[in-house]
Amino acid sequence: MTMETEKLAREWSDITTRVKSYEGAAANQVDAFFSRLQLQAHSAGFVMITADNEFIKTIIERQFMELITRAVEEIDGVPATVMLEVDPNQQPPAPQSAPITTPQSVQPAAAAPAPPAPAPVAPETIPDRTDASESAFQAESAPAPESDDLIEPEDEQATGRLGGTTVEMQQYGDGARAEDTPTSHLTFENYVIGDSNRMAYTMAVSVAETPGKSQLNPLFIYGRSGCGKTHLLRAIQNHIHTTHPGMTTQYVDSAELLSDYMEASAAHDREKSSFKNFKTRYEDVDVLLIDDVQFLQGKKQTLDIVFQIFNKLTSMGKQVVLAADRAPKNIDIDDRYSSRFNSGGTFDIQAPEVETKLGVIKTFVEEYRRAEHRESFTISNEIQLYIAENSNSNLRELKSAVTKVINQMELFKTDMTVDNVRRLLESHFSGGSFKRLTVADIQKEVEQFYHISHADLVGKKRNRNIMYARQVGIYLSRTLLDLPYNDIGKQFNRDHSTVMYSINCVEDRMKENREYEEEVNTIRQIVQDL
């Protein structure tokens, strides 16, 4: 690095630090986008900056140009001109923080032979078209998801009544059946970036800019409910709609896909084209985005048809994007499906760290200010930090807490203290410091994850899979509850030394095996989100 390059890097760092100090500038957003810029020239009152692509340039122009100009003027002490251009040869930084699952080869696997088309559901199993959807779900029997996983359509926009006015707030978490339009409010520009989601965000942008690249086809994004998967899928769709107007996109939640398929099958005898029309809807697109893929486990017929559509699109170089609450290998489906879903790029969104949650809160409050024309409205930093530290990984719950505080402040026209907020939100959070976990809670989730009974978990069987699950349960009981070894041992019918041995086994295995570490952390997050 030359002296001139070092000088420009220091100056750009000074500008970035100053921008982050301004009111309304989220530090993690600034870090994420400014890392994609380079300062090429700087003299008194003039700077030349380059971005690595047009998308980043557009975001900087819309959201940060005034702040950059202000920072330069304050540093130089004179009015400034800021020029921003695209340098296609500029290399974007390699993300470091977010975990990544990389297939053995980045080249797409050869398309597996498509299974035969599933037979339409016999008419007698579905009395009439009115009841088709309900009967179909019964025919493809599987446990109903919990209410937090399948949310009502209006949850995607998290609408809250604030100060007597209904304000539409953007949703950073997941939404099940959003309206099927590519121009929703979920965009890359209003996605809050942190270490927990930076890799998934970067790969989503890459897919949106150049759909169909073999290295990222399919793109599979996974993470717990409410962490922002749906936002990224919708952001991809929005960006393609804006920058590739000749391309067609289709977003669908797995519940909607299942319903569409079963209704088409039920109508097959009355309307021969119904099944063909169903396939055409999903095959005649350039980009297909399927959300909540985990709900297709146990739905063999629907999975078969999804697999056919998947193979056809990817073999034609068309983009497929999938999202789920767990990695492909942890979805209870046939290996041929999970291996194909994992054949492109698979990236996780981890539980948001406090800094990311603070960014969401600040953005949320800023939206309220703009919507209500309340430029002076604010929530103290102490209260924002309290909410961020005590909420769990579900960002819907986080925004709901902020809405509750805003409503309280507007209703009584007064500021609030942290003690006030603590009392207000005492029964609001399902996680954080309010959560009172037990060993039984951990055992239940471990049993469900590994598909074993409670009797086996705490019994004498020494089958490999049972011992494997038992050790994880003991380890999580120790790390999450910090109970004495003897107390944990009593809950698992084991002695003090066995508990210590189990914990050491898990710790050693997590250090040696990245996938095992991810698996244990997935269960940990499930427990913490109870």
Side-chain angles (χ1 to χ4, degrees):
M1 182 180 289
T2 66
M3 291 182 61
E4 179 63 20
T5 303
E6 291 180 355
K7 176 175 175 290
L8 290 173
R10 287 195 302 271
E11 292 173 350
W12 182 240
S13 177
D14 292 341
I15 293 171
T16 301
T17 299
R18 189 171 289 264
V19 169
K20 288 193 289 188
S21 71
Y22 296 147
E23 178 70 25
N28 52 3
Q29 293 274 41
V30 175
D31 285 337
F33 290 116
F34 281 36
S35 67
R36 307 288 292 272
L37 305 175
Q38 287 185 10
L39 182 62
Q40 302 292 350
H42 181 198
S43 59
F46 173 80
V47 292
M48 164 67 80
I49 306 168
T50 55
D52 56 38
N53 61 54
E54 192 67 37
F55 170 68
I56 297 298
K57 178 176 181 284
T58 301
I59 291 180
I60 296 299
E61 288 175 338
R62 289 178 182 174
Q63 297 183 222
F64 297 105
M65 189 60 83
E66 290 184 8
L67 297 180
I68 293 174
T69 303
R70 175 183 166 188
V72 174
E73 289 178 345
E74 290 178 358
I75 291 171
D76 292 349
V78 295
T81 298
V82 178
M83 294 188 64
L84 176 61
E85 301 294 341
V86 174
D87 179 4
N89 296 318
Q90 182 172 307
Q91 293 299 315
Q96 300 294 326
S97 304
I100 168 176
T101 301
T102 307
Q104 293 298 315
S105 171
V106 295
Q107 296 301 320
V121 176
E124 58 268 21
T125 63
I126 299 179
D128 56 50
R129 188 170 180 82
T130 305
D131 296 331
S133 181
E134 179 181 355
S135 300
F137 276 90
Q138 293 172 349
E140 291 255 37
S141 58
E146 296 180 4
S147 59
D148 183 53
D149 290 324
L150 272 182
I151 59 176
E152 295 301 316
E154 59 267 23
D155 273 3
E156 188 196 2
Q157 294 182 338
T159 301
R161 184 163 295 278
L162 307 175
T165 303
T166 300
V167 182
E168 183 179 88
M169 297 295 190
Q170 69 195 33
Q171 169 69 12
Y172 292 91
D174 302 339
R177 288 192 58 172
E179 58 183 10
D180 194 17
T181 171
T183 54
S184 76
H185 60 286
L186 301 178
T187 66
F188 288 123
E189 290 88 338
N190 59 32
Y191 189 83
V192 177
I193 307 165
D195 288 343
S196 58
N197 58 25
R198 194 183 309 278
M199 179 67 85
Y201 172 88
T202 301
M203 296 303 106
V205 170
S206 179
V207 164
E209 291 174 338
T210 54
K213 289 192 302 185
S214 59
Q215 296 92 335
L216 295 175
N217 196 13
L219 173 65
F220 195 107
I221 298 172
Y222 67 97
R224 289 293 295 161
S225 178
C227 286
K229 303 184 298 295
T230 296
H231 193 138
L232 285 182
L233 264 62
R234 283 297 196 176
I236 292 171
Q237 185 184 32
N238 276 313
H239 188 72
I240 292 173
H241 178 74
T242 302
T243 60
H244 299 80
M247 283 189 169
T248 55
T249 65
Q250 177 68 55
Y251 167 91
V252 63
D253 180 85
S254 63
E256 181 182 2
L257 180 66
L258 176 61
S259 178
D260 287 350
Y261 167 66
M262 297 308 293
E263 288 187 13
S265 298
H268 182 72
D269 285 347
R270 296 190 300 274
E271 185 181 348
K272 298 298 182 182
S273 63
S274 64
F275 195 76
K276 181 180 179 181
N277 291 341
F278 163 81
K279 290 191 67 178
T280 299
R281 175 184 175 189
Y282 298 106
E283 289 181 341
D284 286 1
V285 297
D286 297 298
V287 181
L288 176 62
L289 309 103
I290 306 178
D291 211 348
D292 287 325
V293 172
Q294 75 276 1
F295 291 137
L296 293 179
Q297 60 185 10
K299 313 292 194 300
K300 184 180 184 305
Q301 291 180 346
T302 311
L303 266 171
D304 283 345
I305 198 68
V306 167
F307 196 50
Q308 291 179 36
I309 295 169
F310 174 97
N311 280 331
K312 180 173 182 179
L313 290 176
T314 54
S315 67
M316 296 171 64
K318 296 184 177 182
Q319 182 70 50
V320 176
V321 182
L322 307 169
D325 68 357
R326 65 204 72 171
K329 69 183 182 66
N330 291 328
I331 301 176
D332 189 14
I333 55 178
D334 191 280
D335 286 346
R336 61 175 174 159
Y337 301 133
S338 58
S339 63
R340 287 291 283 128
F341 290 167
N342 199 36
S343 63
T346 302
F347 305 89
D348 74 340
I349 300 177
Q350 295 183 322
E353 62 284 336
V354 171
E355 291 80 5
T356 300
K357 289 191 280 188
L358 279 173
V360 173
I361 294 171
K362 290 181 185 297
T363 303
F364 196 81
V365 173
E366 181 61 30
E367 287 178 350
Y368 173 69
R369 285 199 199 103
R370 290 199 301 266
E372 293 294 301
H373 306 290
R374 296 284 311 280
E375 298 304 322
S376 63
F377 179 85
T378 186
I379 295 178
S380 73
N381 291 335
E382 292 77 15
I383 290 176
Q384 292 186 34
L385 181 61
Y386 175 81
I387 295 173
E389 289 180 338
N390 286 280
S391 61
N392 68 8
S393 65
N394 192 312
L395 297 181
R396 286 192 296 273
E397 182 182 270
L398 177 73
K399 294 196 296 295
S400 175
V402 178
T403 299
K404 201 168 184 177
V405 171
I406 292 175
N407 278 329
Q408 189 81 355
M409 293 174 66
E410 293 290 58
L411 180 62
F412 294 101
K413 302 299 180 184
T414 184
D415 291 334
M416 297 186 72
T417 66
V418 172
D419 286 339
N420 296 148
V421 173
R422 182 182 291 110
R423 287 191 291 271
L424 177 68
L425 302 177
E426 186 174 5
S427 60
H428 179 85
F429 294 120
S430 61
S433 64
F434 293 98
K435 180 63 185 173
R436 297 295 178 263
L437 289 172
T438 65
V439 173
D441 293 327
I442 294 171
Q443 289 174 335
K444 179 181 177 182
E445 296 306 322
V446 169
E447 290 156 9
Q448 291 183 353
F449 191 89
Y450 290 110
H451 305 292
I452 65 173
S453 68
H454 180 71
D456 285 342
L457 184 73
V458 301
K460 296 182 179 180
K461 288 185 179 179
R462 297 180 59 83
N463 304 42
R464 182 180 178 84
N465 64 312
I466 294 175
M467 290 182 62
Y468 192 86
R470 186 182 297 138
Q471 289 176 347
V472 171
I474 290 172
Y475 169 80
L476 291 176
S477 297
R478 175 65 176 177
T479 56
L480 289 176
L481 305 180
D482 196 27
L483 293 174
Y485 295 133
N486 284 332
D487 289 357
I488 297 173
K490 290 176 183 177
Q491 298 290 329
F492 285 86
N493 294 326
R494 294 303 187 273
D495 60 24
H496 173 277
S497 60
T498 301
V499 170
M500 292 183 64
Y501 174 78
S502 297
I503 293 169
N504 290 334
C505 281
V506 174
E507 289 177 342
D508 291 343
R509 201 175 294 136
M510 288 175 68
K511 292 175 183 176
E512 298 168 357
N513 188 316
R514 175 66 183 86
E515 287 192 358
Y516 180 76
E517 179 186 17
E518 177 189 296
E519 185 176 295
V520 173
N521 286 334
T522 296
I523 304 171
R524 182 200 304 274
Q525 197 59 57
I526 291 172
V527 172
Q528 289 177 323
D529 286 352
L530 288 175

